[in-house]
């Protein structure tokens, strides 16, 4: 923990195909902005650098000597004000966070009999911020987050899942060590925090309902009426274009706590409608549900995704000053495949906060809080804005 200086962040991007040259270029750029010995540095690199990823860690440690360092291999990176969905690409993002404590960590799974245990989770409370990068196939992220939600003292968690690779590949970096599985990250608490903005690529359609009969992931009744009939009647009342948008990618939003204000976009955990059960007059969704939950149907497309993220950024910018930096973990299905052009998400962030350094990567699953609880998302932009903690 370094006490001098002010809260600041910087990012550096290199498109060089050779890992050593890319690492030197990115480190040199970051050093010009932050100087040596920043509090934290993150490295996001495409598979082009996988074989020699240790060179990235070595160059960062030798030339920058951060207090905490973590990295992840991904399909594409975000840096230099752009989204780079392919590669080769390397982005470094670093920060000075005076008065805050930072610590890198590595999570691994141990088995005892038929039960698994996660080792390495830092002992921190809700005031902390955690950046978490996870192997999508070799770490039980969903059960792990479920166990955290069962407690009452979990931090803000942001990050993403990285594509699974072969044994021995350096897909995750923490300090000077490469890992082919598990999870790595950085925890920060004290005088700085990451303010989360989680946009799930959807927009609500129609009013909210209450689940009045259900079993596992099957919704039988909404407000006492068959769920299938409720959905059919809703679609009949919608304008043709809105009905068509919903039918193209039907989603539901779920909310556990009825006391939370229904603020529309972003207030529900969005999940797929798996199938319609016409015989039972029910619908199945990709998440276990409970009686009493609120359910609201959502449309998922480019217009909905743009509208939702813009609405959230507008609201956040109205209440917060310019952040020192931003980390963006966005779904590989967004970008050009969804919006028809590159840079949509990073452009929107910099529309509201020009010149803020934005780093990140395209994830195989995004991690971010909803209603304060950590969750895995899909088709989502999970953004962390670096701010000082107000006294």
């Amino acid at each position: 923990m370094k006490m001098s200086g002010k809260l600041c962040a910087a990012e550096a991007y290199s498109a060089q195909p050779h890992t050593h040259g890319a690492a030197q270029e990115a480190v040199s750029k970051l050093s010009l902005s932050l100087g040596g010995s920043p509090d934290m540095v993150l490295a996001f690199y495409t598979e082009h650098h996988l074989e020699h990823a240790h060179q990235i860690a070595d160059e960062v440690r030798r030339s920058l000597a951060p207090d905490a360092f973590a990295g992840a291999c991904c399909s594409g990176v975000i840096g230099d004000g752009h989204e780079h969905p392919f590669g080769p690409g390397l982005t470094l993002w670093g920060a000075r966070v005076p008065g805050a404590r930072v610590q890198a960590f590595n999570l691994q799974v141990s088995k005892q009999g038929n039960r698994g245990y996660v080792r390495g989770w830092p002992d921190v409370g809700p005031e902390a911020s955690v950046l978490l990068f996870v192997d999508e196939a070799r770490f039980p992220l969903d059960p792990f987050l479920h166990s955290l939600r069962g407690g009452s003292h979990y931090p803000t968690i942001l990050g993403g899942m990285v594509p699974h690779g072969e044994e021995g590949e350096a897909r995750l970096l923490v300090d000077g060590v490469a890992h082919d599985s598990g999870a790595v990250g950085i925890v920060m608490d004290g005088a700085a925090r990451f303010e989360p903005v989680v946009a799930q690529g959807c927009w609500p359609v129609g009013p909210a309902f209450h689940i009045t009969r259900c079993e596992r992931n099957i919704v039988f009744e909404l407000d006492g009426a068959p769920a299938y009939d409720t959905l059919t009647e809703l679609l009949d009342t919608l304008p043709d274009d809105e009905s068509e948008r919903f039918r193209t990618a039907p989603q539901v939003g779920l909310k556990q706590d009825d006391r939370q204000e229904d603020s529309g976009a972003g207030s529900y955990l969005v999940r797929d409608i798996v199938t319609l059960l016409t015989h039972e007059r029910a619908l199945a969704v990709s998440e276990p549900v409970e009686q009493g939950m609120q359910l609201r149907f959502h449309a998922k497309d480019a217009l909905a995704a743009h509208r939702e993220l813009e609405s959230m950024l507008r609201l956040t910018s109205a209440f917060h000053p310019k952040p020192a930096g931003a980390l963006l973990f966005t779904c590989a299905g967004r970008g050009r495949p969804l919006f028809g052009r590159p840079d949509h998400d990073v452009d929107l962030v910099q529309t509201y906060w020009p010149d803020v350094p934005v780093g990140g990567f395209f994830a195989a699953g995004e991690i971010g809080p909803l209603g304060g609880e950590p969750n895995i998302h899909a088709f989502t932009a999970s953004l962390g804005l670096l701010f000082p903690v107000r006294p």
Side-chain angles (χ1 to χ4, degrees), residues 57-386:
D58 291 345
E59 186 66 23
V60 168
R61 295 182 70 201
R62 181 183 66 83
S63 300
L64 296 175
D67 285 355
F69 170 72
C73 181
C74 45
S75 61
V77 301
I78 297 169
D80 195 30
H82 297 283
E83 300 169 5
H84 309 275
F86 304 111
L90 166 65
T91 290
L92 297 182
W93 189 95
R96 294 189 181 279
V97 286
R101 296 171 292 276
V102 294
Q103 176 188 349
F105 62 87
N106 168 35
L107 304 183
Q108 295 291 333
V109 179
S110 298
K111 288 191 175 181
Q112 184 174 345
N114 295 326
R115 302 187 66 181
Y117 298 88
V118 173
R119 296 180 290 107
W121 181 247
D123 183 17
V124 292
E127 71 287 347
S129 298
V130 169
L131 304 171
L132 181 64
F133 315 121
V134 181
D135 182 297
E136 65 172 340
R138 293 181 181 172
F139 185 83
L141 181 59
D142 192 36
F144 176 67
L145 294 183
H146 179 77
S147 69
L148 289 182
R149 290 193 297 267
S152 58
H153 297 291
Y154 41 79
T156 296
I157 305 175
L158 293 157
M161 302 173 73
V162 304
H164 175 60
E166 297 181 4
E167 187 174 348
E169 292 182 333
R171 295 198 166 258
L172 298 168
L173 302 174
V174 59
D175 288 332
V177 182
H179 297 271
D180 62 0
S181 63
V184 302
I186 290 179
V187 59
M188 176 181 70
D189 66 350
R193 64 185 176 88
F194 284 102
E195 176 74 17
V197 176
V198 179
Q200 300 174 84
C202 294
W203 195 258
V205 172
F209 303 93
H210 286 86
I211 298 175
T212 48
R213 188 164 72 90
C214 61
E215 183 178 339
R216 297 188 298 275
N217 68 321
I218 300 175
V219 181
F220 290 100
E221 292 184 359
L222 294 171
D223 289 349
Y228 180 90
D229 297 347
T230 300
L231 175 57
T232 301
E233 292 171 5
L234 172 63
L235 293 177
D236 288 341
T237 67
L238 295 176
D240 290 344
D241 59 339
E242 192 168 358
S243 176
E244 182 61 30
R245 289 174 52 230
F246 173 80
R247 294 172 193 270
T248 300
Q251 311 285 303
V252 295
L254 303 168
K255 185 161 60 174
Q256 181 70 251
D257 188 356
D258 195 24
R259 293 168 298 179
Q260 293 178 342
E261 180 183 354
D262 180 3
S263 57
S267 62
Y268 291 85
L269 178 64
V270 174
R271 292 294 186 253
D272 294 332
I273 295 180
V274 176
T275 187
L276 299 177
L277 306 171
T278 55
H279 181 72
E280 294 88 350
R281 318 305 290 172
L283 56 91
V285 301
S286 60
E287 181 85 5
V289 295
E290 298 177 8
Q291 185 171 322
M293 273 185 168
Q294 285 190 45
L295 181 149
R296 195 172 183 185
F297 296 103
H298 282 65
K300 180 174 76 172
D301 61 9
L303 177 61
H306 173 83
R307 184 188 299 175
E308 181 197 25
L309 181 56
E310 184 177 45
S311 172
M312 290 183 165
L313 293 176
R314 185 188 308 116
L315 179 64
T316 304
S317 67
F319 286 94
H320 295 283
K322 178 181 176 180
L327 288 166
L328 176 61
F329 310 105
T330 190
C331 177
R334 293 173 70 100
R336 188 184 292 275
L338 175 63
F339 299 106
R341 68 173 184 87
D343 304 335
H344 173 274
D345 290 347
V346 71
D347 280 353
L348 263 186
V349 173
Q350 295 191 321
T351 295
Y352 287 92
W353 297 288
D355 303 322
V356 164
V358 183
F361 65 86
F362 286 92
E366 301 75 56
I367 305 168
L370 201 70
E373 296 186 340
N375 281 283
I376 308 171
H377 305 277
F379 209 68
T380 293
S382 184
L383 178 69
L385 302 168
L386 181 62

